[in-house]
Amino acid sequence: MNQPLPQLDLMGLSSKLPTGFRLHHMEIYNWGTFHDQIWHINPDGNNSLLTGDIGSGKSTVVDALTTLLVSTQKITYNKAAGAESKERNLASYVRGAYKSEKSELTQTSKAVTLRGESSYSVLLAWFYNADFDQGMTLAQVFWLKEGNHQPERFYINADQQLNIKKHFSGFGSDINQLKKKLRNINGVNLSTTFREYATLFRRHFGIQSEQALDLFYQTVSMKSVGNLTEFVRQHMLETTDVQGQLDEMLQGFDNLNRLHEAVLKARAQIELLTPLCDGLQQHDIVKVAIEALRVARESLSGWFARFHSELLQTQIDKLVQQAKQLEHRLEKLSNTIQRMRDKENDLHRSIEDQGGRRLREIEREIRQFEQNVSRCKQLYRGYEQACQQLDLDAQLDEARFYANQQQLETLSTQVDEQEGS
């Protein structure tokens, strides 16, 4: 098996470069009964014939290649040999089960394996496209954890050609060290799921449909084709679930019908509720208006009280002005009475003296009157200047004087209001 099979040159086709990605090299380590050494297959991109006696491992090699390209959930192992679905599985290949023994105590069968839980298995294949000088290494590593019946594994896609001896050995007993070693190689991608791993090599190989790999799996271990039409329908054409589509269509129609009825019901409810909503909205508007009028009515007493207060204040100011006029008149009358009394006293003294004393008193009165006249003129000049600045009538008249005084107070009030605003 280490040597490639003889190559057949049919119609001179070998003189041309083979098209597409082809299997050039495959290695197996600890897979099934291929135990404890690396086994090589080298088709070099050519059509090859794998032969051997019954039980020599032909189906084991086919299953190894199938495992690299198809998810194990879809694989029936040893199908190429016509085996039943439960005869072999991934765990039996990794452990190297080669026979079963019956226990004398329990009378149950138990598989006899070549490898224990400390071993690991590697499948590796190198695919190469000579037209574009491109290649990819696909590999899977399996190992067993204590207590687990199903093996653990990870997947490798590499742009360069790898081999088991150089790249998948010499890491000790820790699988994490092997992962670390592989990650340090340029162009190597490690995946933990078959979907990610398959997506990478399908994109690299130009395989657009996942069904192509399913067809490959069906044909790689096919022994006979009973009905070609049935085979094409089952394995080459995508299955169409007509009944499922009809059920889905009917269910969709029922859903749409229920939605249509729900829409009609909601529309009828909206038509019934619209007048109520309009009435509630109008009620809210009227309620707000009534509340505003109530607040306005309650505010009327204060509003009228403010105007009443202003009127009373005006009346008070007017009465205060009148009181000042009366006080001034009273003061004037009091002064007049006093002068007349003084004059009466002077006349009495004049009558009594009838001499120079009277003249001195007259002179004193004259000086007093002159001082009063000078003071009154000075006051009048200030009053006249103030009236000119305020555009008031400066005529010497008692009624005009009090009118000016009242107007001055009004102007003072206006100035205070302007400064306050």
Side-chain angles (χ1 to χ4, degrees), residues 1 5 48-54 56-58:
M1 188 176 296
L5 294 174
S48 302
L49 179 63
L50 183 63
T51 62
D53 295 335
I54 296 175
S56 62
K58 301 185 298 300

Side-chain angles (χ1 to χ4, degrees), residues 55 57 73-74 87 98 160 180-181 223 228 299 303 307 339 347 349-350 362 390 406:
Q73 283 78 11
K74 299 180 180 180
E87 182 176 322
Y98 62 95
Q160 58 180 295
K180 184 177 180 181
K181 177 180 179 179
K223 286 184 173 296
L228 183 60
S299 302
W303 188 79
F307 279 97
R339 285 196 301 271
L347 289 175
R349 284 193 297 273
S350 177
I362 290 174
L390 298 175
Q406 187 174 3

Side-chain angles (χ1 to χ4, degrees), residues 59-97:
S59 297
T60 302
V61 174
V62 172
D63 287 342
L65 180 60
T66 306
T67 302
L68 285 172
L69 298 175
V70 182
S71 174
T72 54
Q73 283 78 11
K74 299 180 180 180
I75 299 176
T76 300
Y77 285 110
N78 204 25
K79 188 176 181 181
E84 297 296 331
S85 60
K86 296 183 180 180
E87 182 176 322
R88 297 184 187 178
N89 53 43
L90 183 61
S92 66
Y93 272 132
V94 173
R95 289 179 178 270

Side-chain angles (χ1 to χ4, degrees), residues 174-221:
D174 189 358
I175 293 295
N176 291 325
Q177 294 298 323
L178 175 59
K179 292 181 180 179
K180 184 177 180 181
K181 177 180 179 179
L182 293 172
R183 287 193 179 98
N184 292 330
I185 303 175
N186 292 331
V188 174
N189 182 80
L190 268 67
S191 304
T192 57
T193 62
F194 183 85
R195 178 179 294 275
E196 180 183 356
Y197 159 81
T199 301
L200 290 175
F201 76 73
R202 280 173 46 207
R203 184 186 303 120
H204 194 80
F205 292 165
I207 302 175
Q208 298 181 357
S209 175
E210 186 177 354
Q211 190 177 3
L213 294 176
D214 294 338
L215 178 61
F216 163 77
Y217 167 64
Q218 296 296 331
T219 57
V220 75
S221 58

Side-chain angles (χ1 to χ4, degrees), residues 101-282:
E101 292 181 349
K102 182 178 290 187
S103 174
E104 296 180 357
L105 296 176
T106 61
Q107 295 298 314
T108 58
S109 298
K110 181 179 180 181
V112 180
T113 61
L114 296 173
R115 293 176 290 276
E117 294 183 351
S118 60
S119 64
Y120 71 100
S121 303
V122 182
L123 301 179
L124 182 145
W126 165 251
F127 295 87
Y128 181 70
N129 187 341
D131 285 342
F132 297 98
D133 191 22
Q134 293 179 349
M136 172 170 276
T137 297
L138 302 183
Q140 295 184 22
V141 178
F142 306 88
W143 72 97
L144 295 168
K145 283 187 176 181
E146 185 178 357
N148 289 349
H149 296 289
Q150 291 298 323
E152 303 289 333
R153 63 174 161 174
F154 63 88
Y155 308 86
I156 299 96
N157 303 79
D159 296 336
Q160 58 180 295
Q161 184 174 356
L162 304 180
N163 61 75
I164 296 177
K165 182 177 181 181
K166 179 179 178 180
H167 301 99
F168 291 83
S169 61
F171 60 88
S173 60
D174 189 358
I175 293 295
N176 291 325
Q177 294 298 323
L178 175 59
K179 292 181 180 179
K180 184 177 180 181
K181 177 180 179 179
L182 293 172
R183 287 193 179 98
N184 292 330
I185 303 175
N186 292 331
V188 174
N189 182 80
L190 268 67
S191 304
T192 57
T193 62
F194 183 85
R195 178 179 294 275
E196 180 183 356
Y197 159 81
T199 301
L200 290 175
F201 76 73
R202 280 173 46 207
R203 184 186 303 120
H204 194 80
F205 292 165
I207 302 175
Q208 298 181 357
S209 175
E210 186 177 354
Q211 190 177 3
L213 294 176
D214 294 338
L215 178 61
F216 163 77
Y217 167 64
Q218 296 296 331
T219 57
V220 75
S221 58
M222 181 176 61
K223 286 184 173 296
S224 63
V225 178
N227 188 322
L228 183 60
T229 302
E230 189 66 23
F231 177 81
V232 171
R233 286 179 177 175
Q234 289 183 359
H235 303 298
M236 301 184 68
L237 299 178
E238 295 183 359
T239 59
T240 56
D241 186 7
V242 178
Q243 185 62 40
Q245 293 178 356
L246 290 175
D247 294 340
E248 185 178 356
M249 185 181 299
L250 292 174
Q251 185 178 1
F253 175 77
D254 291 339
N255 293 334
L256 290 175
N257 190 33
R258 286 194 295 270
L259 289 174
H260 178 67
E261 293 177 354
V263 170
L264 293 179
K265 182 178 179 181
R267 185 178 298 171
Q269 291 174 347
I270 291 173
E271 291 177 356
L272 293 174
L273 293 175
T274 298
L276 179 60
C277 293
D278 295 340
L280 289 174
Q281 186 176 4
Q282 187 65 27

